[in-house]
Amino acid sequence: MIKLQDGGVFLINGTEVIPDGPDAGAAAASAAGKTVSSEEARKGTMAYSILEQHNTSGNMNDLQIKFDKLTSHDITYVGIIQTARASGLEKFPVPYVLTNCHNSLCAVGGTINEDDHMFGLSCAKRYGGIYVPPHQAVIHQYAREMLAGGGKMILGSDSHTRYGALGTMAMGEGGPELVKQLLGKTYDIPMPGVTAVYMTGAPVPGVGPQDVALAIIGAVFDGGYVKNKVMEFVGPGVSNLSADFRIGVDVMTTETTCLSSIWRTDAKIKDFYEKHGRPDDYKELNPAPVAYYDGCVYVELDKIRPMIAMPFHPSNVYTIDDVNANLEDVLHDVEKKAETVLTGDVNFKLTDKIHNGRLLVDQGIIAGCAGGGFENICDAADILKGQFIGSDDFTLSIYPASSPIYLELAKNGVLADLIETGAVVKTAFCGPCFGAGDTPANGDLSIRHSTRNFPNREGSKIQEGQIASVALMDARSIAATAANKGYLTPATEFAGEYRHPVYHFDGTIYENRVFDSHGKADPSVPVRFGPNIKDWPEMSALPENLIIKVVSEIHDPVTTTDELIPSGETSSYRSNPLRLAEFALSRKDPEYVGRAKEIQKAQKAIESGRCGGDAVPELKPVMAAVHTKYPDVSHENLGVGSTIFAVKPGDGSAREQAASCQKVLGGWANIANEYATKRYRSNLINWGMLPFVTDCSEKELPFKNGDFIFIPEIRKAVESKSDKITAYKVDPEAQTLSPFELSLGNLTDDEREIILDGCLINYYKAHMN
């Protein structure tokens, strides 16, 4: 089904994969007509070609990328534009789309969500952008329909910014990276590795894109096989997939922790652009006759069967047949994992979902950028046609990903078919994906064709004794389960016919509702603010010396951004940095905020010219211990704040608030064994936080929660590009300093300047004039 190549491969003429070795050179030379080294053949990937066209550095080892277009939604664009405004923004330099698909309900916090929307509309007018009103389209579907283009690059402030199936290399990053683009700066990364995803065969009926995606995620996630690399989809099997199917696989590549994705394109993708009235945006993409990849994921499409990702991660995958055959064992395994993931705060049970020897689920959702596509919904409707979901606990909600899709479902009768089954068909909205809609009842299990199933992401609150959970599945198997009144059923058991209606895109609704400035800014338009929209607080530059207190210690194998700053109703407060920060780590470590704010008092005292120990008495013996070795350290050359330790933080969302909330609360650093994603580490840097790495295993850590760490001459170390940093655990009772080593890893010159200045906002204040 899925196999991973150990080592690099050559791809010859797009069809033959040859593992790197003695035989590879001859085959490559034959195809190219000359001897080709692996380094030369790296230039033959589609990814290399697109990156080269967008690189401004003149050095393909260290890229400085300028994107063609940008996109954000309504829980990210306020902070991005506020940061850019504070840094001198006058107009959007490239097309920038502001969609409103996350805080669409306007149901939490009074007027604040609609205030954000009006802020976005006014900014689109003032700075020359595009504004998509609520319920018209989810961010990524609008980008597919209206923004993507062959060979282009798009940067979005959402982690699922993936349009590779359409020949567009897209990346999801934290807001500060979009700020850089808005201010004419670049996206700076080393040349990423490229991994081939070589597809053969064709899916059997009942297998959908989520099944293929989950199979791939399950194979590559744990070992980090494609971490921070570009996944390049090639092979004859690609031609056997429709555009919608490819899109459904592509959007889920985010869950592998890859950097981006790109697919070879063909007549089916050309047809997609023609249907959407943009034939000139199509470009045929293929690897060169000889291309070299750092690895290869072999995908036998015909062998994939309906999959399910059990709680609490998209990589926790099984075939549905395996779950049904080994039900108690699988559910017990999930319950055991929950003991670690949920830290024993609630009693999580799945085995009580076994009824009559089968798994009975409580809710089905087909939604968003992954599930809300036309083909997914039409195939689900065929499976459900003539059936009904029943009048018991089980419910089914379906969210078409855009108003044009909704309109076509109404025209071709699929909408009526779905409503007749008892399903509820709603407007385009991302809420179910992050806990802002369709939150299940306490103890319930939801099956969803959406992107993630992290703990509490469906909206339950562990701190209030609530726990529900999500398993990811394809729309087809969700429909088969719904037709069985909630009993888990793979779609391969459906013996009926799929009608496969032809999609007709009608963009009239966009023409009538979407504000498009066509790139023309109007400075006379005032920006419209609501009372919840606040500026970022002032942030200090990196001091000469630093004392940080460990205020949270997380030993889970991976820590998601949802655990660092919860999604759901907290999203409504993302335009208010101080109010949002109150939710930081609330589901993982409820004591974090109080601890961080307490030690932050010392930094505030220092900023006002006083000794930190006057505000935080426990700091006085710490300073006394520091003075035994560093007598010249004083409030004039010292910063004090907090840090957290996590084994592998940052999996999941691109949300910058996972870092900025820590900064707002006085965070100066993170310490980790490694960072789960490039985007989380970038967010730390852009908010002026030191992305420390330690080689110490969890059992060998030289510090624990509540300890103080002293880092002398940290500013000098950053300025001099030191990687290895000597830090000291402070023992205030024994008045001793115990040294240990931290690393900062590779930092660009600009990243060092951002850390030195204290955050990206300060950096631009210092460098834009």
Side-chain angles (χ1 to χ4, degrees):
M1 184 166 71
I2 307 287
K3 186 180 76 171
L4 306 183
Q5 177 68 43
D6 184 12
V9 301
F10 286 89
L11 180 66
I12 310 299
N13 295 320
T15 59
E16 184 182 5
V17 178
I18 301 177
D20 196 0
D23 297 334
S30 175
K34 62 178 182 178
T35 300
V36 181
S37 67
S38 59
E39 286 305 310
E40 181 68 19
R42 289 180 190 275
K43 300 177 182 179
T45 65
M46 296 178 285
Y48 187 96
S49 175
I50 294 173
L51 290 169
E52 184 177 40
Q53 292 167 21
H54 291 80
N55 180 36
T56 64
S57 72
N59 177 1
M60 286 300 290
N61 291 321
D62 294 300
L63 306 179
Q64 295 178 338
I65 300 296
K66 285 200 171 182
F67 288 84
D68 299 295
K69 300 174 183 178
L70 308 174
T71 186
S72 293
H73 50 62
D74 49 345
I75 54 176
T76 57
Y77 65 61
V78 175
I80 291 167
I81 295 172
Q82 282 288 75
T83 303
R85 280 167 48 83
S87 305
L89 176 70
E90 295 183 356
K91 81 179 291 288
F92 297 152
V94 296
Y96 186 21
V97 175
L98 311 178
T99 64
N100 296 275
C101 51
H102 279 61
N103 282 342
S104 309
L105 295 181
C106 305
V108 176
T111 69
I112 61 177
N113 290 342
E114 191 63 8
D115 290 343
D116 286 354
H117 299 160
M118 293 303 98
F119 173 94
L121 177 58
S122 65
C123 287
K125 294 177 179 179
R126 181 180 180 88
Y127 299 113
I130 301 166
Y131 175 87
V132 183
H135 305 288
Q136 295 304 314
V138 302
I139 177 173
H140 303 308
Q141 187 62 25
Y142 186 85
R144 296 161 187 155
E145 294 170 349
M146 306 300 291
L147 295 185
K152 301 297 184 181
M153 291 190 72
I154 295 177
L155 183 66
S157 55
D158 184 274
S159 57
H160 292 99
T161 306
R162 293 283 190 269
Y163 317 126
L166 301 175
T168 304
M169 187 176 289
M171 299 176 185
E173 280 285 356
E177 292 298 335
L178 276 80
V179 173
K180 293 176 183 177
Q181 296 290 311
L182 291 175
L183 298 174
K185 304 301 181 180
T186 56
Y187 178 72
D188 301 343
I189 54 170
M191 178 66 189
V194 184
T195 298
V197 183
Y198 186 79
M199 293 182 152
T200 59
V204 301
V207 167
Q210 189 79 327
D211 298 315
V212 175
L214 293 177
I216 294 171
I217 294 165
V220 305
F221 176 81
D222 281 346
Y225 190 78
V226 296
K227 180 179 176 180
N228 294 333
K229 296 179 180 178
V230 178
M231 297 177 74
E232 185 155 307
F233 288 77
V234 294
V238 171
S239 296
N240 296 325
L241 305 178
S242 68
D244 254 22
F245 200 114
R246 299 180 207 184
I247 286 168
V249 176
D250 186 57
V251 70
M252 292 297 292
T253 59
T254 296
E255 305 312 318
T256 67
T257 70
C258 74
L259 177 71
S260 187
S261 63
I262 193 70
W263 295 56
R264 68 176 186 84
T265 60
D266 55 20
K268 292 180 180 178
I269 303 304
K270 182 179 181 181
D271 179 65
F272 177 94
Y273 282 107
E274 290 174 348
K275 282 181 177 177
H276 288 80
R278 302 190 290 121
D280 292 343
D281 285 325
Y282 170 72
K283 181 180 181 180
E284 184 177 351
L285 296 178
N286 282 296
V290 178
Y292 185 84
Y293 297 89
D294 298 287
C296 184
V297 181
Y298 298 90
V299 180
E300 297 175 288
L301 293 167
D302 54 310
K303 293 185 179 179
I304 292 176
R305 293 297 178 264
M307 307 292 293
I308 181 169
M310 298 297 287
F312 294 94
H313 199 276
S315 64
N316 189 20
V317 297
Y318 304 82
T319 66
I320 294 177
D321 286 338
D322 283 346
V323 171
N324 284 333
N326 304 282
L327 191 53
E328 289 200 15
D329 289 343
V330 171
L331 298 187
H332 277 303
D333 185 56
V334 177
E335 290 173 346
K336 186 174 181 180
K337 289 179 180 176
E339 294 175 7
T340 299
V341 172
L342 303 175
T343 61
D345 292 333
V346 292
N347 181 29
F348 176 76
K349 295 288 291 182
L350 274 187
T351 47
D352 59 6
K353 300 296 178 188
I354 300 175
H355 293 260
N356 302 317
R358 300 190 64 184
L359 178 61
L360 181 62
V361 302
D362 304 286
Q363 182 193 66
I365 304 285
I366 300 170
C369 59
F374 179 74
E375 289 182 7
N376 289 331
I377 295 173
C378 288
D379 282 1
D382 286 341
I383 293 171
L384 280 164
K385 191 171 177 61
Q387 306 289 331
F388 61 95
I389 68 172
S391 58
D392 211 329
D393 293 1
F394 184 81
T395 61
L396 177 64
S397 296
I398 298 170
Y399 294 76
S402 70
S403 50
I405 292 175
Y406 201 117
L407 180 61
E408 183 64 11
L409 295 173
K411 287 180 177 179
N412 70 11
V414 169
L415 179 60
D417 291 343
L418 288 169
I419 292 173
E420 287 175 354
T421 71
V424 180
V425 184
K426 304 180 182 181
T427 53
F429 179 42
C430 297
C433 185
F434 68 97
D438 289 286
T439 301
N442 182 53
D444 278 4
L445 173 64
S446 177
I447 53 172
R448 302 188 174 192
H449 192 156
S450 60
T451 57
R452 290 194 175 122
N453 60 339
F454 296 161
N456 306 111
R457 190 176 171 92
E458 78 299 316
S460 62
K461 299 179 180 179
I462 191 171
Q463 68 272 27
E464 296 182 17
Q466 305 170 14
I467 183 61
S469 56
V470 168
L472 300 181
M473 287 168 47
D474 187 81
R476 293 149 192 82
S477 291
I478 292 173
T481 301
N484 250 345
K485 311 297 189 294
Y487 285 100
L488 184 66
T489 307
T492 44
E493 292 188 7
F494 172 65
E497 295 293 323
Y498 292 99
R499 290 172 289 178
H500 299 306
V502 175
Y503 179 59
H504 302 92
F505 174 79
D506 184 349
T508 305
I509 187 66
Y510 289 159
E511 295 168 9
N512 292 334
R513 284 293 296 138
V514 172
F515 172 80
D516 188 347
S517 70
H518 300 287
K520 184 178 179 180
D522 184 355
S524 69
V525 176
V527 175
R528 184 171 171 179
F529 291 92
N532 187 60
I533 298 175
K534 304 295 184 182
D535 292 327
W536 294 102
E538 292 292 326
M539 300 180 196
S540 300
L542 184 69
E544 294 179 41
N545 306 287
L546 188 61
I547 290 176
I548 49 178
K549 183 178 183 181
V550 182
V551 294
S552 187
E553 196 175 351
I554 305 172
H555 291 278
D556 295 351
V558 178
T559 303
T560 69
T561 47
D562 285 65
E563 293 167 310
L564 295 168
I565 182 66
S567 55
E569 85 282 5
T570 61
S571 300
S572 295
Y573 301 107
R574 291 196 195 174
S575 302
N576 188 331
L578 291 173
R579 191 167 182 184
L580 180 66
E582 295 290 332
F583 294 97
L585 271 75
S586 58
R587 294 179 184 170
K588 198 67 189 172
D589 185 355
E591 304 301 317
Y592 164 76
V593 171
R595 296 189 195 113
K597 291 171 75 172
E598 182 62 27
I599 194 63
Q600 187 183 29
K601 293 177 183 177
Q603 179 65 27
K604 290 182 177 180
I606 289 171
E607 290 168 358
S608 67
R610 299 183 294 123
C611 291
D614 293 340
V616 183
E618 70 170 332
L619 194 60
K620 290 183 178 180
V622 172
M623 287 297 296
V626 169
H627 285 154
T628 62
K629 187 175 177 66
Y630 293 91
D632 295 333
V633 172
S634 71
H635 69 276
E636 296 179 349
N637 56 27
L638 178 69
V640 179
S642 58
T643 188
I644 68 169
F645 169 80
V647 175
K648 189 178 179 181
D651 184 29
S653 171
R655 69 184 68 141
E656 63 181 282
Q657 294 86 358
S660 67
C661 285
Q662 296 177 54
K663 180 69 171 186
V664 165
L665 293 170
W668 275 115
N670 273 194
I671 304 175
N673 289 133
E674 65 174 303
Y675 293 97
T677 58
K678 180 262 177 197
R679 54 185 174 267
Y680 177 68
R681 183 175 182 271
S682 293
N683 284 335
L684 291 174
I685 294 166
N686 285 325
W687 285 105
M689 297 177 70
L690 295 152
F692 285 132
V693 172
T694 176
D695 292 333
C696 297
S697 68
E698 296 177 68
K699 295 180 180 179
E700 297 173 337
L701 286 176
F703 54 81
K704 62 183 184 301
N705 199 13
D707 282 347
F708 284 89
I709 297 171
F710 174 59
I711 311 173
E713 299 185 331
I714 182 59
R715 186 174 184 89
K716 180 179 179 182
V718 174
E719 289 173 334
S720 62
K721 302 184 180 182
S722 300
D723 177 31
K724 303 300 182 183
I725 310 292
T726 299
Y728 297 89
K729 175 195 168 182
V730 182
D731 187 333
E733 292 185 6
Q735 291 289 285
T736 58
L737 302 177
S738 302
F740 64 96
E741 191 173 83
L742 295 170
S743 172
L744 280 173
N746 293 326
L747 293 169
T748 67
D749 289 345
D750 282 349
E751 286 174 335
R752 292 182 184 278
E753 286 294 329
I754 291 167
I755 290 173
L756 290 168
D757 289 340
C759 66
L760 187 66
I761 297 173
N762 293 355
Y763 171 80
Y764 281 129
K765 286 179 180 177
H767 296 272
M768 288 295 287
N769 296 326

